[in-house]
């Protein structure tokens, strides 16, 4: 049980009541503090009975689900489920386990994960209260090996930051690295966990996110069980987790709630959508500026007719249309939901039609830019979607300068940058580099659960097995034996 108390959210206090010293041990992240104060401590204080034995104390407490226990394993398991352990001096070898879990906190109507919506699976998200978020984790991960370590960051804000990991699974080197970087964070105010992300990241100059950021409880559980370190901060509904790879940002929680064939298909669609979103408009500029010969003859006529009255070069034509789409997207995000949706639909239709009639752009380019913008929305993580939106613009400039050679140069520089990136010391594009063939089971595709029972080796977990594969399917049932 002593190992359980290594977590900072476990509290041990001693109260002297009626000349008797009573020890209380509980997990503050999951218990109901009001219930402890009003129904437990208050009833003991006003009791007229002489509390000289645990059975007397048991009769005084007006709560159900109370039991005597001296078993260390049972006590440790009960503490992680919302029990408080009460011991009475001088005999500290036995105590009372009283259930005082807060079953209401965290589960309310306004903590749905609206920004990472999925049709299948749980929809509970984190909120701005860090105690509520830790409460949700304790309810979902009932393990005495779940560790919470709390720090205070910000000389003015004094914000609470808690790192969460699974002892015996997460590599201690990753935990120590996160500890050191948080302790060295010299900020005055910590507004959000994204600020902490930029402070502790391995490369703050990169446009690529090196820490996973999400508001979903199920994604936090998956990250912790995989051997990652999750970081929560007060005032933020988002957690960050690391180390991560670039492939983690294209994984949706819904992938694991669907059959593996469908999940793999949709994940491949996601990767194709990202490639199209980045390369579609640069190829349009390169082809119309330098490589007319690659255009099929059947398509050459519609392109000439579409661009006959457009006064701008392909580069300026693409640039103004891409900027218009970004303006519409930014305006839609900043406005209230219903108004933003109306602006996006009406503004896109009206501006697109007006731009074609005014000969400011071509019909074909509007189709390409629209599909490119639509493809960028397939990325589940918002931070990676922003990176994809940004990467189009330098590639468009390189395509306008050197055509397809410029695109190749841009992609080469991008690949070189990705090869240098690391997240908590883990290569960013593993298992592609360093090449790990066996780790492709849950990167480009989502393999069957019978093949993904191991945690990712590149996270260097202390415990490799995530679960055991059942062999019951291979055993014929009674019906087949007849």
């Amino acid at each position: 049980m002593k190992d359980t108390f290594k977590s900072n959210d476990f509290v041990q206090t001693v109260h002297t009541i009626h000349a008797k010293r009573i020890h209380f041990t509980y997990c503050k992240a999951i218990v109901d503090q009001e219930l402890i104060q009003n129904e437990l401590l208050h009833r003991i204080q006003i009791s007229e009975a002489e509390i000289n034995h645990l059975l007397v104390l048991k009769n005084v407490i007006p709560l159900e689900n109370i039991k005597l226990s001296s078993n260390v394993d049972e006590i440790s398991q009960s503490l992680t489920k919302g029990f408080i352990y009460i011991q009475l001096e001088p005999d500290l070898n036995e105590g009372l386990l009283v259930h005082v879990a807060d079953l209401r906190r965290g589960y309310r109507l306004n903590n749905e994960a609206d920004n990472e919506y999925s049709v299948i699976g749980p929809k509970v998200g984190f909120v701005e209260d860090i105690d509520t978020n830790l409460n949700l984790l304790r309810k979902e991960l009932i393990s005495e090996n779940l560790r919470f370590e709390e720090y205070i960051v910000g000389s003015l804000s004094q914000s609470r930051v808690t790192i969460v990991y699974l002892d015996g699974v997460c590599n201690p080197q990753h935990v120590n690295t996160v500890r050191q970087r948080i302790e060295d964070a010299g900020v005055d105010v910590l507004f959000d966990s994204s600020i902490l992300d930029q402070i502790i990241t391995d490369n703050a100059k990169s446009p690529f996110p090196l820490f996973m950021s999400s508001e979903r409880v199920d994604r936090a559980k998956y990250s912790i069980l995989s051997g990652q370190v999750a970081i929560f901060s007060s005032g933020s509904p988002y957690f960050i987790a690391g180390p991560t790879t670039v492939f983690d940002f294209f994984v949706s929680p819904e992938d694991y709630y669907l059959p593996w064939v469908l999940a793999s298909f949709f994940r491949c669609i996601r990767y194709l959508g990202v490639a199209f979103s980045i390369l579609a408009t640069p190829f349009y500029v390169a082809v119309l500026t330098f490589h007319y010969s690659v255009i099929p003859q059947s398509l050459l006529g519609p392109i000439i007719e579409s661009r006959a009255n457009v006064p701008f070069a392909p580069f300026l034509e693409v640039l103004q249309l891409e900027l218009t789409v970004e303006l519409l997207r930014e305006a839609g995000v900043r406005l209230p939901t219903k108004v933003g949706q109306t602006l996006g639909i009406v503004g896109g239709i009206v501006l697109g039609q007006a731009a074609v009639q005014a000969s400011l752009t071509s019909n074909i380019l509007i189709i390409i830019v629209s599909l490119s913008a639509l493809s960028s929305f397939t990325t589940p993580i918002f931070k990676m979607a922003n990176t994809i939106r940004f990467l189009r613009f330098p590639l468009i400039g390189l395509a306008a300068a050197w055509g397809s050679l410029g695109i190749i140069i841009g992609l080469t520089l991008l690949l070189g940058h990705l090869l240098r990136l690391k997240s908590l010391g883990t290569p960013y594009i593993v298992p592609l580099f360093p090449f790990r063939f066996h780790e492709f089971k849950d990167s480009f595709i989502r393999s069957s659960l019978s093949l993904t029972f191991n945690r990712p080796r590149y996270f260097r977990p202390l415990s490799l097995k995530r679960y055991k594969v059942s062999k019951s399917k291979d055993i014929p049932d009674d019906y087949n034996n007849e």
Side-chain angles (χ1 to χ4, degrees), residues 74-314:
E74 182 185 14
I75 295 169
S76 299
Q77 288 289 335
S78 299
L79 288 176
T80 58
K81 295 179 181 179
F83 282 78
I84 184 171
Y85 187 55
I86 305 175
Q87 296 168 290
L88 185 64
E89 288 190 1
D91 185 12
L92 298 179
N93 295 322
E94 192 176 29
L96 289 176
L97 284 171
V98 185
H99 190 256
V100 289
D102 188 352
L103 302 177
R104 299 166 297 172
R105 186 169 61 180
Y107 291 100
R108 58 182 190 272
L109 296 177
N110 63 344
N111 70 330
E112 293 187 1
D114 294 330
N115 296 325
E116 297 179 65
Y117 183 79
S118 64
V119 179
I120 304 175
K123 298 173 178 59
V124 179
F126 293 116
V127 294
E128 286 75 10
D129 180 34
I130 190 172
D131 289 323
T132 298
N133 297 337
L134 300 181
N135 174 278
L136 289 170
L137 271 183
R138 276 292 181 191
K139 288 178 180 177
E140 299 292 340
L141 291 177
I142 304 176
S143 172
E144 61 184 46
N145 293 325
L146 186 64
R147 298 285 184 261
F148 292 172
E149 294 185 11
E150 186 172 309
Y151 299 87
I152 302 297
V153 178
S155 57
L156 296 179
S157 64
Q158 295 290 300
S159 302
R160 295 168 57 196
V161 174
T162 302
I163 64 174
V164 184
Y165 61 95
L166 203 59
D167 191 23
V169 174
C170 183
N171 193 299
Q173 184 177 349
H174 297 154
V175 180
N176 292 332
T177 303
V178 172
R179 284 192 194 118
Q180 179 183 357
R181 294 181 182 179
I182 290 178
E183 290 173 352
D184 295 341
V187 294
D188 52 356
V189 177
L190 187 64
F191 294 98
D192 188 78
S193 60
S194 58
I195 303 295
L196 191 63
D197 183 349
Q198 299 175 53
I199 294 174
I200 68 175
T201 185
D202 294 61
N203 188 345
K205 298 179 181 179
S206 174
F208 288 89
L210 300 181
F211 280 88
M212 173 68 64
S213 178
S214 177
E215 62 175 344
R216 294 180 61 107
V217 177
D218 55 349
R219 192 182 281 275
K221 289 192 297 181
Y222 181 79
S223 298
I224 294 171
L225 291 172
S226 296
Q228 295 172 289
V229 183
I231 308 170
F232 294 82
S233 66
S234 56
S236 175
Y238 286 83
F239 76 95
I240 58 176
T244 56
T245 68
V246 68
F247 302 106
D248 293 336
F249 295 92
F250 301 101
V251 174
S252 171
E254 205 169 27
D255 292 348
Y256 300 96
Y257 306 136
L258 294 172
W260 72 270
V261 176
L262 297 179
S264 299
F265 173 75
F266 294 138
R267 191 176 291 184
C268 291
I269 291 293
R270 236 171 271 142
Y271 287 117
L272 292 175
V274 170
F276 183 86
S277 177
I278 294 177
L279 299 175
T281 47
F283 268 117
Y284 176 87
V285 173
V287 168
L288 291 188
T289 306
F290 295 96
H291 313 294
Y292 297 103
S293 58
V294 303
I295 303 176
Q297 188 174 2
S298 58
L299 189 59
L300 189 60
I303 291 178
I304 294 175
E305 183 180 352
S306 177
R307 297 200 73 255
N309 298 320
V310 177
F312 303 111

Side-chain angles (χ1 to χ4, degrees), residues 354-396:
V356 172
Q357 291 180 353
S359 298
L360 297 178
T361 185
S362 62
N363 289 324
I364 293 178
L365 180 59
I366 285 185
I367 295 173
I368 293 175
V369 171
S370 300
L371 290 176
S372 179
L374 188 63
S375 300
S376 66
F377 289 120
T378 60
T379 308
I381 303 299
F382 182 70
K383 287 186 177 181
M384 182 58 75
N386 288 339
T387 301
I388 293 169
R389 290 164 56 187
F390 165 76
L391 291 177
R392 287 202 297 265
F393 290 95
L395 287 177
I396 289 172

Side-chain angles (χ1 to χ4, degrees), residues 46-57:
I46 65 174
S47 173
E48 297 179 356
E50 183 181 355
I51 303 175
N52 53 12
H53 196 272
L54 288 174
L55 293 178
V56 178
L57 186 61

